[in-house]
C-alpha cells in the first residue's frame, strides 16, 4: 500500500532489469561523475563539485552477476526440496544450530534424526529397475521397499529422480502410500532425502512423491503420539520442506492445544518446528505458554532456551510476563560463559522486542554483564548486543564503543546489513565512538568498494539507509547520495513491498541537500513532483480538534504552545508549522526584535505553502527567528539529556536555516505544577532563544491560572 503511494504504480522493471541490476549503482555514479543527467532530477543552480574522499565511488569494475542471489549469500539447495534457494547463511545456520542442540541431548534422540545417519538400512543390494507396468503389479510393500533400495543405491551411484526410468516407480509408490505401514512410510520419507536435488519442488517425479507423502503423513497424524509426530516432522526438516509442507503446519496447530501439558523437552521441540513454519497459532493463549515456560525454565539448559527464544522470535510472538522476562535475563547472565553465540543471538533478539520500559534497567544490567564477553563473540552476536537497547533507547557507551571498534577493523567482511544496523545504532544514540572517531568515513569508504556493488543492488534498502544515517550524523558524501537518489535505485526500492518506508528516507535525503548540501552539488535529485508527493505523504498533521483524538506528542505540543503564548503575550505571536517539511512532527515558531521583545510573525511567512521549506525571511530587518522543539518521550536517550540522532539533526538543520533553537524536554516539563512548567519553559528559552524573559513568568502564571479557573467554572 505505502509502496504504491510512494511512487505512481507502474509495471515492474522486468526480468531484464532484475538480472542486470548489478550495474545500477555503476550507472548512477557514472552519471554523477560525467554530469550526464536527466534535468528533471537536478535542483536549480547545482554545479559539479570535487570533494576529496566524497566523490570517489568506483565505477571501473563490473562484477559478474547471478540470475538470482547476491553477494555474501550462499547458493544452496534445500536438502531435498529440489529447489535452489538463495538464503542467508546465518538464517540457515540458526536452524541447523538449533537442531544440533536437540541432537546433542539424549532426551531428543528418539524424536529427531541425525543428518548423517538417514535411513541406515542396507536395501541397496536388492535395488531393481522394473518397467512401469511391472511396478504397477507389485504389492505396496514391494513398491516401497523397491524405492528404498533404489534410494540407498544413490549413495553409491547418484541418479536423477526425474529420469523417465523412475517415473513408473514414483507414480506407483505415490498411489499406494495409503496401503503401507507407518514404519515403511517413515522409511520412504527418509529415502527421498538420499536422492540428489532436482531442479525445483515442482519437477514431475519429485512433486508427485513429496505431495503424496505430505498428504499421507497429515492424514495419519492424529493417531500418532507426540513423539512420533515430532519424529516425522524432523524428517521433513531433513528434506528442507518444513516451510511448505502441510504436515508441519497442521502438526503445530494440533499440538498448540497441548502446550500447557507439554514436558520441558516437548515444549522446546514444539517451538523449534513452530520456528520452521514461522507461525504460532492464534488460538494459543500467550499467557498459558508463558506460564508453562516459567514452570520449566529451571529444567532446561541455556542452549534449549535459545531454541525456545528462536521459536518465539521467528513467529513474532513476544513475551509479556515481566516475571518471566526477569528470570530469562537472570538465567542468561548466569550462563554467559557457556552459551553459544547462536543461542545468545536468539535470546537477545527476543529480549529486545519483549522487555517493557518498566524493566529497562534489567537490560542495562545485562549489557554490563555482556561487556567482559564481547571479545569472544562473533560479529553476528555482537550486532545483536549493539541492537539490544535500541527499542528502549538504552545506551551503554562502553559496549557500543567496543563493538564499533571491532566492526571498524573487520569492515570488509561484514554483511551490508550488519553495516547498516551498526550505523543505525550509532545514529540512534548520536554517538561517535572515541576509539574510532572516523567510523562514519570508514563506512562511507566501504560502501564505495567495487566488491560491494552486487550486494548493494540486491539490498538497495540497506545501502540507502546507510547513506541516510550518515546524513543524519552530518556526513554528506555526494557520490553516495547521488547513487541513492538515482531513478534506477528508486525503482528498485519501489519494486519491493518490504521497502515501503523508504519514501520517507529518500525524501529526507533530498531536502537535506537543500539545507546542508554543498551549493555546487551536481548529483541526482528527486524530481520536484516526486518530492512534493512524498512530502505530502509523510508530513504529519498540525494538531487541532478534541484532545481525545490527538497523540501524546500532539497534546504535549499544544500544551507547550499555550504556555509559551502566555509568556510571549498572546497566541497571535506564535505558530505551529513544519519549518522542516521532511520531518513529521511540527515545531513552534515565534519572532522577537533585536531587544528580545516578541513581535508578530510576518504574513509572508505564515502564507508559505505547507510543503515548502520555511526559512527565516532575511529581508525583514531587526527580527530574530526562534524555533521551539517539543522533545517527546522518545526524543532522548534513556536516563539522559542527550538527544537521539534524528532529533539532534532537526536541531542542527533549524540552526542552519537561521533559527535560534530551544528544546523543551518532556521529562522535565511533564507531571509538574503550572509554575514549574513555566519555569521549565523559561529556562529552555533562556538557553536557546532570543526572547527576553524578564518579568514574563509571573504575568503568564496569572493569565493561565485565570484561564484554568474560568474553565473549571464552565465545566461546573
Amino acid at each position: 500500500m505505502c509502496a504504491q503511494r510512494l511512487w505512481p504504480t507502474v509495471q515492474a522493471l522486468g526480468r531484464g532489469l532484475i538480472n542486470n541490476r548489478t550495474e545500477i549503482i555503476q550507472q548512477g555514479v557514472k552519471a554523477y561523475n560525467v554530469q550526464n543527467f536527466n534535468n528533471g532530477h537536478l535542483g536549480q543552480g547545482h554545479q559539479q563539485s570535487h570533494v576529496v574522499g566524497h566523490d570517489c565511488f568506483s565505477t571501473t569494475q563490473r562484477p559478474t552477476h547471478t540470475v538470482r542471489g547476491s553477494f555474501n549469500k550462499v547458493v544452496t539447495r534445500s536438502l531435498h526440496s529440489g529447489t535452489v534457494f538463495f538464503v542467508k547463511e546465518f538464517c540457515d545456520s540458526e536452524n541447523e544450530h538449533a537442531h544440533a542442540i536437540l541432537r546433542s541431548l539424549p532426551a531428543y534422540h528418539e524424536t529427531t534424526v541425525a543428518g548423517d545417519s538417514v535411513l541406515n538400512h542396507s536395501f541397496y543390494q536388492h535395488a531393481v529397475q522394473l518397467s512401469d507396468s511391472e511396478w504397477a503389479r507389485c504389492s505396496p510393500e514391494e513398491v516401497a521397499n523397491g524405492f528404498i533400495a533404489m534410494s540407498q543405491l544413490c549413495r553409491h551411484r547418484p541418479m536423477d529422480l526425474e529420469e523417465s526410468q523412475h517415473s513408473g516407480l514414483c507414480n506407483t509408490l505415490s498411489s499406494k502410500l495409503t496401503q503401507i505401514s507407518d514404519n515403511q512410510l517413515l522409511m520412504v520419507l527418509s529415502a527421498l532425502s538420499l536422492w540428489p536435488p532436482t531442479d525445483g519442488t515442482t519437477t514431475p517425479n519429485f512433486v508427485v512423491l513429496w505431495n503424496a507423502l505430505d498428504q499421507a503423513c497429515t492424514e495419519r497424524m492424529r493417531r500418532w503420539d507426540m513423539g512420533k509426530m515430532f519424529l516425522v516432522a524432523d524428517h521433513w526438516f531433513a528434506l528442507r520442506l518444513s516451510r511448505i509442507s502441510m504436515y508441519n503446519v497442521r502438526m503445530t496447530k494440533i499440538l498448540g492445544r497441548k502446550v500447557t501439558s507439554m514436558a520441558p523437552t516437548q515444549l522446546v521441540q514444539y517451538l523449534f518446528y513452530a520456528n520452521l513454519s514461522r507461525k504460532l497459532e492464534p488460538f494459543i493463549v500467550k499467557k498459558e505458554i508463558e506460564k508453562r515456560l516459567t514452570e520449566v525454565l529451571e529444567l532446561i539448559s541455556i542452549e534449549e532456551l535459545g531454541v525456545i527464544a528462536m521459536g518465539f522470535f521467528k513467529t513474532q510472538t513476544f513475551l509479556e510476563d515481566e516475571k518471566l522476562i526477569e528470570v530469562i535475563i537472570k538465567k542468561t547472565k548466569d550462563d554467559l560463559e557457556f552459551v553459544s553465540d547462536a543461542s545468545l543471538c536468539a535470546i537477545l533478539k527476543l529480549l529486545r522486542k519483549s522487555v517493557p520500559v518498566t524493566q529497562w534497567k534489567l537490560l542495562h544490567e545485562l549489557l554490563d554483564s555482556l561487556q567482559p564477553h564481547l571479545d569472544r563473540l562473533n560479529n553476528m552476536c555482537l550486532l545483536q548486543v549493539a541492537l539490544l537497547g535500541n527499542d528502549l533507547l538504552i545506551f551503554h557507551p562502553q559496549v557500543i564503543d567496543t563493538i564499533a571498534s571491532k566492526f571498524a577493523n573487520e569492515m570488509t567482511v561484514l554483511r551490508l546489513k550488519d553495516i547498516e544496523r551498526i550505523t543505525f545504532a550509532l545514529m540512534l544514540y548520536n554517538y561517535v565512538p572515541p576509539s574510532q572517531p572516523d567510523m562514519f568515513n570508514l563506512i562511507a569508504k566501504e560502501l564505495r568498494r567495487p566488491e560491494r556493488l552486487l550486494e548493494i543492488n540486491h539490498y538497495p534498502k540497506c545501502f540507502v539507509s546507510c547513506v541516510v544515517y550518515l546524513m543524519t550524523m552530518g556526513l554528506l558524501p555526494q557520490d553516495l547520495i547521488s547513487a541513492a537518489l538515482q531513478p534506477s535505485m528508486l525503482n528498485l526500492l519501489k519494486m519491493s513491498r518490504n521497502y515501503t518506508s523508504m519514501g520517507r528516507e529518500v525524501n529526507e535525503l533530498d531536502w537535506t541537500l537543500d539545507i546542508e548540501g554543498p551549493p555546487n552539488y551536481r548529483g541526482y535529485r528527486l524530481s520536484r513532483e516526486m518530492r512534493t508527493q512524498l512530502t505530502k505523504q509523510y508530513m504529519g498533521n498540525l494538531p487541532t480538534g478534541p484532545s481525545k483524538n490527538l497523540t501524546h506528542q500532539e497534546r504535549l505540543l499544544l500544551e507547550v504552545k499555550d504556555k509559551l503564548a502566555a509568556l510571549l503575550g498572546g497566541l497571535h505571536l506564535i505558530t505551529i508549522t513544519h519549518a522542516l517539511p521532511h520531518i513529521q512532527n511540527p515545531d513552534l515558531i515565534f519572532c522577537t526584535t533585536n531587544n528580545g521583545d516578541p513581535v508578530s510573525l510576518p504574513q509572508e511567512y505564515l502564507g508559505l505553502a505547507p510543503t515548502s521549506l520555511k526559512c527565516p525571511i532575511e529581508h525583514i530587518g531587526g527580527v530574530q527567528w526562534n524555533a521551539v522543539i517539543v522533545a517527546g518521550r522518545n526524543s532522548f536517550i534513556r536516563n539522559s539529556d542527550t538527544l537521539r540522532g534524528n532529533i539532534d539533526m532537526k536541531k542542527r538543520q533549524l540552526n542552519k536555516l537561521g533559527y535560534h533553537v530551544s528544546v523543551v524536554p518532556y521529562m522535565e516539563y511533564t507531571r509538574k505544577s503550572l509554575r514549574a512548567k513555566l519555569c521549565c519553559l523559561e529556562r529552555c528559552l533562556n538557553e536557546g532563544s532570543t526572547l527576553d524573559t524578564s518579568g514574563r513568568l509571573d504575568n503568564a502564571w496569572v493569565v493561565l491560572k485565570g484561564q484554568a479557573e474560568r474553565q473549571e467554572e464552565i465545566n461546573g
Side-chain angles (χ1 to χ4, degrees):
M1 183 69 69
C2 293
Q4 292 172 347
R5 294 195 304 253
L6 185 56
W7 290 282
T9 304
V10 294
Q11 183 67 28
L13 293 180
R15 190 177 304 276
L17 172 60
I18 296 173
N19 289 348
N20 291 285
R21 58 183 175 176
T22 53
E23 301 176 359
I24 288 175
I25 289 290
Q26 295 167 309
Q27 293 168 357
V29 179
K30 183 177 181 180
Y32 170 81
N33 288 334
V34 302
Q35 305 181 46
N36 181 22
F37 309 114
N38 177 342
N39 291 332
H41 293 272
L42 291 176
Q44 298 296 319
H46 291 145
Q47 302 294 325
Q48 170 109 16
S49 68
H50 183 83
V51 180
V52 176
H54 280 195
D55 55 350
C56 53
F57 200 120
S58 173
T59 63
T60 58
Q61 296 190 22
R62 306 180 72 85
T64 57
H65 62 81
T66 56
V67 177
R68 296 169 61 195
S70 72
F71 177 91
N72 211 30
K73 278 190 168 185
V74 290
V75 182
T76 181
R77 292 178 188 269
S78 68
L79 190 54
H80 281 81
S81 69
T83 299
V84 177
F85 289 114
F86 288 80
V87 284
K88 295 176 184 175
E89 186 174 7
F90 184 66
C91 287
D92 262 4
S93 65
E94 277 185 317
N95 293 333
E96 294 293 343
H97 176 84
H99 190 262
I101 290 171
L102 302 184
R103 285 296 306 166
S104 69
L105 300 172
Y108 301 94
H109 282 180
E110 297 299 319
T111 54
T112 58
V113 57
D116 59 351
S117 60
V118 175
L119 199 68
N120 274 328
H121 299 274
S122 298
F123 281 81
Y124 73 91
Q125 296 94 337
H126 309 289
V128 293
Q129 187 68 55
L130 302 180
S131 66
D132 294 359
S133 59
E134 289 173 325
W135 281 122
R137 291 193 296 271
C138 292
S139 68
E141 291 78 10
E142 290 172 334
V143 175
N145 289 339
F147 179 78
I148 294 168
M150 193 68 68
S151 302
Q152 283 281 23
L153 189 59
C154 284
R155 281 181 164 172
H156 306 275
R157 192 184 71 195
M159 296 176 288
D160 184 356
L161 185 66
E162 297 305 323
E163 290 180 358
S164 58
Q165 63 189 20
H166 303 308
S167 298
L169 173 59
C170 292
N171 290 324
T172 303
L173 176 61
S174 299
S175 66
K176 295 186 176 184
L177 284 176
T178 57
Q179 303 172 53
I180 64 176
S181 66
D182 288 351
N183 185 52
Q184 275 192 309
L185 180 66
L186 190 59
M187 291 173 66
V188 169
L189 192 61
S190 297
L192 183 57
S193 66
L194 299 178
W195 290 79
T198 59
D199 292 335
T201 56
T202 58
T203 53
N205 290 343
F206 182 71
V207 72
V208 164
L209 268 178
W210 82 258
N211 278 331
L213 284 165
D214 193 17
Q215 182 176 351
C217 292
T218 303
E219 289 175 352
R220 301 186 190 199
M221 184 191 310
R222 287 190 178 276
R223 68 187 193 213
W224 294 337
D225 60 25
M226 195 179 300
K228 185 69 169 288
M229 292 168 74
F230 284 158
L231 181 60
V232 173
D234 217 58
H235 279 80
W236 285 107
F237 172 70
L239 282 164
R240 300 300 184 268
L241 287 170
S242 297
R243 289 290 299 274
I244 61 176
S245 69
M246 180 56 64
Y247 178 85
N248 205 59
V249 173
R250 191 69 58 82
M251 184 203 70
T252 52
K253 185 174 183 178
I254 291 174
L255 294 185
R257 302 184 185 279
K258 303 178 181 180
V259 166
T260 55
S261 60
M262 285 183 180
T265 56
Q266 291 173 334
L267 182 62
V268 173
Q269 196 165 356
Y270 172 75
L271 286 170
F272 171 72
Y273 299 121
N275 157 35
L276 298 178
S277 64
R278 297 294 193 268
K279 185 178 181 181
L280 204 59
E281 292 299 329
F283 62 77
I284 298 176
V285 180
K286 188 182 296 186
K287 288 185 178 179
E288 292 182 356
I289 196 170
E290 289 189 12
K291 179 182 177 183
R292 185 57 184 152
L293 180 55
T294 303
E295 294 169 349
V296 306
L297 197 58
E298 294 301 319
L299 304 176
I300 62 176
S301 68
I302 187 67
E303 294 297 326
E304 289 171 293
L305 176 58
V307 176
I308 287 176
M310 195 182 303
F312 275 113
F313 183 81
K314 295 296 186 181
T315 59
Q316 297 295 291
T317 306
F318 304 117
L319 306 177
E320 295 180 354
D321 188 321
E322 294 191 10
K323 181 62 177 177
L324 174 60
I325 292 170
E326 184 177 350
V327 174
I328 289 176
I329 291 176
K330 183 180 183 304
K331 187 178 185 70
T332 304
K333 288 166 61 178
D334 291 344
D335 292 340
L336 279 176
E337 291 185 8
F338 315 108
V339 65
S340 64
D341 287 3
S343 294
L344 182 57
C345 271
I347 295 169
L348 295 180
K349 286 179 180 179
L350 179 63
L351 290 176
R352 175 162 58 92
K353 293 295 184 180
S354 299
V355 176
V357 66
T358 54
Q359 291 183 302
W360 72 267
K361 290 183 179 179
L362 292 178
L363 273 191
H364 197 279
E365 292 169 0
L366 178 55
L367 287 167
D368 281 337
S369 299
L370 284 163
Q371 186 178 351
H373 299 274
L374 297 180
D375 288 342
R376 72 168 180 82
L377 300 180
N378 64 25
N379 288 337
M380 190 62 66
C381 197
L382 287 174
L383 183 63
Q384 294 308 317
V385 176
L387 300 176
L388 181 59
N390 285 187
D391 289 21
L392 298 182
L393 293 170
I394 301 166
F395 179 41
H396 196 296
Q398 295 84 5
V399 167
I400 297 297
D401 184 47
T402 300
I403 295 172
S405 180
K406 184 171 182 181
F407 278 18
N409 294 329
E410 301 184 16
M411 191 74 70
T412 58
V413 299
L414 295 177
R415 300 179 306 167
L416 181 62
K417 182 179 179 180
D418 301 336
I419 296 173
E420 184 261 333
R421 288 288 82 193
I422 192 63
T423 310
F424 169 76
L426 295 172
M427 179 279 297
L428 180 71
Y429 297 131
N430 196 18
Y431 184 64
V432 178
S435 64
Q436 292 292 337
D438 61 341
M439 183 71 175
F440 298 107
N441 283 310
L442 289 175
I443 292 168
K445 181 179 179 182
E446 183 62 27
L447 295 177
R448 295 186 179 102
R449 291 179 64 237
E451 293 83 357
R452 291 286 181 183
L453 289 174
L454 184 58
E455 189 181 12
I456 286 171
N457 283 284
H458 278 281
Y459 299 101
K461 179 182 182 297
C462 286
F463 171 75
V464 174
S465 292
C466 277
V467 177
V468 171
Y469 302 151
L470 293 176
M471 172 272 294
T472 303
M473 295 300 291
L475 181 65
L476 279 76
Q478 298 179 40
D479 57 325
L480 299 182
I481 292 173
S482 180
L485 293 179
Q486 62 178 302
S488 48
M489 178 66 77
L490 301 181
N491 280 328
L492 273 183
L493 295 175
K494 181 179 63 175
M495 287 168 59
S496 174
R497 294 180 181 179
N498 297 325
Y499 298 166
T500 54
S501 65
M502 294 308 294
R504 186 190 307 276
E505 295 199 8
V506 297
N507 193 46
E508 286 184 5
L509 201 55
D510 195 74
W511 275 112
T512 296
L513 285 171
D514 281 354
I515 301 168
E516 300 183 275
N520 55 359
Y521 173 79
R522 290 293 295 172
Y524 275 107
R525 297 291 303 270
L526 297 182
S527 67
R528 296 294 182 186
E529 295 77 14
M530 179 182 291
R531 187 166 80 170
T532 299
Q533 177 187 347
L534 292 176
T535 302
K536 288 180 179 179
Q537 177 179 338
Y538 291 105
M539 179 182 287
N541 297 321
L542 297 179
T544 57
S547 177
K548 64 179 180 180
N549 296 328
L550 301 178
T551 66
H552 175 272
Q553 177 65 24
E554 289 171 338
R555 288 195 297 270
L556 183 62
L557 184 67
L558 287 176
E559 182 183 339
V560 172
K561 178 189 176 184
D562 289 341
K563 305 293 187 295
L564 187 54
L567 285 169
L568 293 172
L571 283 170
H572 66 286
L573 297 170
I574 190 171
T575 188
I576 299 178
T577 189
H578 289 93
L580 302 174
H582 54 290
I583 295 181
Q584 184 176 19
N585 291 329
D587 300 299
L588 302 170
I589 306 296
F590 69 92
C591 291
T592 71
T593 66
N594 289 336
N595 295 326
D597 297 324
V599 63
S600 296
L601 288 156
Q603 192 60 42
E604 180 181 349
Y605 181 88
L606 296 174
L608 291 172
T611 58
S612 65
L613 184 64
K614 299 167 186 65
C615 303
I617 301 174
E618 296 180 356
H619 66 78
I620 300 178
V623 174
Q624 300 293 321
W625 294 80
N626 294 270
V628 177
I629 298 174
V630 180
R633 62 181 66 179
N634 292 320
S635 298
F636 293 89
I637 305 304
R638 183 75 53 194
N639 201 36
S640 78
D641 59 358
T642 301
L643 290 170
R644 59 186 289 182
N646 52 354
I647 306 298
D648 189 64
M649 179 195 72
K650 183 182 191 180
K651 181 181 178 182
R652 185 183 74 235
Q653 292 187 354
L654 287 169
N655 277 322
K656 184 77 173 179
L657 291 179
Y659 290 97
H660 300 273
V661 183
S662 305
V663 179
V664 179
Y666 89 99
M667 58 274 199
E668 180 183 351
Y669 177 83
T670 55
R671 303 189 194 91
K672 303 284 185 179
S673 66
L674 174 58
R675 181 170 289 275
K677 290 178 185 290
L678 290 173
C679 287
C680 173
L681 289 180
E682 182 183 47
R683 181 191 64 76
C684 296
L685 292 170
N686 285 337
E687 289 182 358
S689 79
T690 59
L691 178 68
D692 182 0
T693 61
S694 302
R696 294 185 175 276
L697 189 149
D698 290 336
N699 291 336
W701 185 85
V702 170
V703 170
L704 292 169
K705 193 70 173 176
Q707 290 176 357
E709 290 173 353
R710 286 192 296 273
Q711 189 62 45
E712 287 180 3
E713 291 177 1
I714 293 173
N715 295 336

